[in-house]
Amino acid sequence: IISYDATKKQNILDATQKQKMEIVYDLKNMNIIVVSVPDINLSETLKKIEKIDGVLGVQEDSKMELH
């Protein structure tokens, strides 16, 4: 989950496309993009995303099990 500066959205779109990430959701009214990241080197990929100009925050999606 990537939150971003609305004026720099294209930077994020270009960078995620370059890294072969699939955009799952584009929540335009909230300036949030949800991308699918390959599991290979996940922590390294998240660090790269954080360094993209315009990114305000990156959060790994979590999974909850309900019993």
Side-chain angles (χ1 to χ4, degrees):
I1 301 172
I2 304 170
S3 58
Y4 60 90
D5 176 346
T7 63
K8 305 219 175 164
K9 180 178 180 178
Q10 195 59 49
N11 291 349
I12 290 114
L13 294 176
D14 292 344
T16 54
Q17 182 180 21
K18 187 176 184 180
Q19 295 181 31
K20 308 285 189 223
M21 295 179 206
E22 176 187 351
I23 296 176
V24 179
Y25 297 108
D26 185 356
L27 306 169
K28 296 172 186 164
N29 59 335
M30 297 172 59
N31 297 335
I32 292 175
I33 297 174
V34 179
V35 296
S36 176
V37 177
D39 286 338
I40 303 168
N41 296 322
L42 181 60
S43 61
E44 184 179 315
T45 302
L46 294 177
K47 288 177 185 176
K48 287 181 182 179
I49 294 170
E50 289 174 340
K51 293 178 181 179
I52 299 169
D53 185 31
V55 170
L56 302 176
V58 177
Q59 181 177 351
E60 183 179 351
D61 196 9
S62 59
K63 185 188 298 186
M64 293 177 50
E65 284 189 38
L66 301 176
H67 298 275

